[in-house]
């Protein structure tokens, strides 16, 4: 099992086009760890904002009576993909998600989703 920092660094190196990655607690909106980002991508702001996205989707699913789990949420911008992957509730994974920002001109979205799923499986939080 990989610790948070190791897993986040792995995402940045293993996923082509990765701009930044964060592990986020969506009950508080706080980033528990970040790697990458920069002046054009503030990962702590992104963590808080994407917490609202996750909460809204969970609430909508409840209103619709959907008895399913969110695997991931994709937001496509003009030049970036933003991927939100909710962690499956093993021991303490419930309430956490991985947030990955990708340069869409360099990234292979299918491979990024596959790699993020592998990283999640190895993550020890």
């Amino acid at each position: 099992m990989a610790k948070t920092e190791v897993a986040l660094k792995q995402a940045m190196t293993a996923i082509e086009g990765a701009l930044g990655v964060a592990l986020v607690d969506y009950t508080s909106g706080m980033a528990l760890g970040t790697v990458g980002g920069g002046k054009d991508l503030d990962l702590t702001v992104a963590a808080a904002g994407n917490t609202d996205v996750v909460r809204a989707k969970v609430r909508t699913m409840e209103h619709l009576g959907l008895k399913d789990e969110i695997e991931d949420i994709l937001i496509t911008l003009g030049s970036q993909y933003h991927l939100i992957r909710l962690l499956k509730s093993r021991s303490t994974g419930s309430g956490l998600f991985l947030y990955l920002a990708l340069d869409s001109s360099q990234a292979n979205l299918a491979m990024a989703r596959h790699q993020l799923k592998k990283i999640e499986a190895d993550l020890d939080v």
Side-chain angles (χ1 to χ4, degrees):
M1 293 283 179
K3 294 292 184 194
T4 301
E5 185 177 344
V6 172
L8 296 178
K9 286 180 180 177
Q10 180 183 0
M12 288 297 292
T13 57
I15 301 174
E16 191 170 343
L19 300 171
V21 62
L23 177 64
V24 183
D25 175 354
Y26 71 79
T27 56
S28 68
M30 292 185 57
L32 304 177
T34 63
V35 175
K39 67 177 181 71
D40 294 332
L41 179 61
D42 184 332
L43 291 171
T44 56
V45 172
N50 284 304
T51 294
D52 292 336
V53 171
V54 171
R55 288 178 184 161
K57 187 59 191 172
V58 168
R59 193 170 46 251
T60 301
M61 288 175 62
E62 288 171 357
H63 290 304
L64 293 171
L66 297 176
K67 305 291 185 221
D68 210 342
E69 294 179 344
I70 299 170
E71 185 172 330
D72 59 36
I73 299 169
L74 172 64
I75 300 168
T76 305
L77 305 178
S79 62
Q80 295 179 358
Y81 298 129
H82 291 220
L83 190 57
I84 300 166
R85 180 167 184 85
L86 278 70
L87 273 59
K88 302 288 184 248
S89 56
R90 284 193 305 263
S91 55
T92 58
S94 184
L96 302 177
F97 66 87
L98 286 166
Y99 164 71
L100 175 66
L102 299 159
D103 179 335
S104 61
S105 69
Q106 297 177 10
N108 177 324
L109 187 55
M111 286 304 296
R113 291 181 71 219
H114 175 74
Q115 287 292 97
L116 204 56
K117 187 175 184 176
K118 280 179 52 178
I119 290 166
E120 174 203 358
D122 292 339
L123 184 60
D124 181 27
V125 289

